[in-house]
């Protein structure tokens, strides 16, 4: 079930889990091992470099949880963040209270940039401010795309998800691709139940992004799964500028969600060290994105 984390990394290390893990942005869950239990165990004792770099005690989705694996593939880079920050402990925060508990143990920094308050984990904020100082020296700038361009509350991520889903349902009904009855049924579901159904509709070309041309996960995360909850993510106005992206990268900020063009994630290491964390480089629209390599 989406939102729960039942299998620990320790279980993975000793178990029969990932014979063929999900990869890139694939929606596929790991394939079942073809060999018998004894043989498969001997072949799967080494998890991918990415899985080895997850925080101690991090819980993985069940093998049958395709949505969970899709979220790990799409949003997972943040879980191997370094540089003195604390990566989120779980794939999805189940509610606002669990997020608040986790945040209460973080060292959080707060600053104002171009009139907007920026709240991030302290080392991530320090790196951002250093990047901005470097940008300003080069007559460039780094500013938030919106007031909620850095940290977001659990409620705000729920609201963004609901707005996006409602708008897309209305669009596809109007376009004659979805019946009013199906749209009403989907609208009434809890977000965690909406996710697999939306992914199925997107396989048929009914995309749920803001312009209805991209997967919903490339522009908004299901409640509890957003990188912005971890206080390690940032949406900026200047993301089209190659020089600005290079400055951010020099300070540990990288793009990790393909097609989410304004979005950056604090990973806290030089670019040359990202492969050693189990991240791989993919290029989309001429830009580099560092995503989990679940197969390596
Ligand atoms: Zn973002």
């Amino acid at each position: 079930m989406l939102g729960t984390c039942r299998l620990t990394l320790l279980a993975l290390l000793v178990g029969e889990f990932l014979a063929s893990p999900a990869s890139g942005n694939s929606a596929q869950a790991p394939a079942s091992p073809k060999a018998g239990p004894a043989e498969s165990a001997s072949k799967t004792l080494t998890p991918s470099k990415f899985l080895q770099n997850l925080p101690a005690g991090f819980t993985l989705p069940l093998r049958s949880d395709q949505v969970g694996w899709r979220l790990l593939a799409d949003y997972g880079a943040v879980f191997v963040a370094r540089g003195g920050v604390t990566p989120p402990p779980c794939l999805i925060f189940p509610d606002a209270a669990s997020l608040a508990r986790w945040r209460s143990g973080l060292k959080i920094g707060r600053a104002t940039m171009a009139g907007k308050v920026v709240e991030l984990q302290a080392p991530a904020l320090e790196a951002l401010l250093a990047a901005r100082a470097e940008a300003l020296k080069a007559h460039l700038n780094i500013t938030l795309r919106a007031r909620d361009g850095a940290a977001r509350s659990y409620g705000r991520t729920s609201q963004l998800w609901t707005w996006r889903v409602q708008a897309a349902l209305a669009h596809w009904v109007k376009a004659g691709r979805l019946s009013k009855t199906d749209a009403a049924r989907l609208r009434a579901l809890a977000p965690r139940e909406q996710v697999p159904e939306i992914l199925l509709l997107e396989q048929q070309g009914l995309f749920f992004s803001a312009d209805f041309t991209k997967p919903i996960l490339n522009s908004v995360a299901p409640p509890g799964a957003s990188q912005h909850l971890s206080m390690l993510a940032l949406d900026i106005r200047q993301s089209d500028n190659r020089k600005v992206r290079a400055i951010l990268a020099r300070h540990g900020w990288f793009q990790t969600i393909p097609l989410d063009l304004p979005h950056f994630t604090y990973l806290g290491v030089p670019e040359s060290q990202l492969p050693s964390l189990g991240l791989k480089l993919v290029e989309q629209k001429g830009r580099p994105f560092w995503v989990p390599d679940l197969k390596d």
Side-chain angles (χ1 to χ4, degrees), residues 161-173 208-210 212:
W161 174 263
T162 302
W163 285 346
R164 191 62 47 81
V165 171
Q166 305 277 24
L169 289 174
H171 171 81
W172 292 117
V173 167
F208 273 57
S209 68
F212 317 113

Side-chain angles (χ1 to χ4, degrees), residues 56-137:
F58 186 88
T59 49
L60 290 167
L62 290 174
R63 185 166 60 183
S64 59
D65 180 3
Q66 294 198 10
V67 172
W69 284 100
R70 169 73 181 268
L71 292 177
L72 189 63
D74 282 17
Y75 301 150
V78 72
F79 297 116
V80 296
R82 299 291 189 264
V85 298
T86 306
C90 188
L91 190 57
I92 301 170
F93 288 99
D95 49 39
S98 63
L99 175 67
R101 269 195 304 277
W102 177 69
R103 279 189 176 174
S104 69
L106 298 177
K107 195 175 171 207
I108 294 168
R110 187 178 290 110
T112 302
M113 286 188 351
K116 293 193 177 78
V117 175
V118 187
E119 245 188 348
L120 292 166
Q121 289 197 35
L125 179 65
E126 214 171 285
L128 172 63
L129 294 177
R132 185 161 190 255
E134 190 178 327
L136 290 171
K137 263 190 203 163

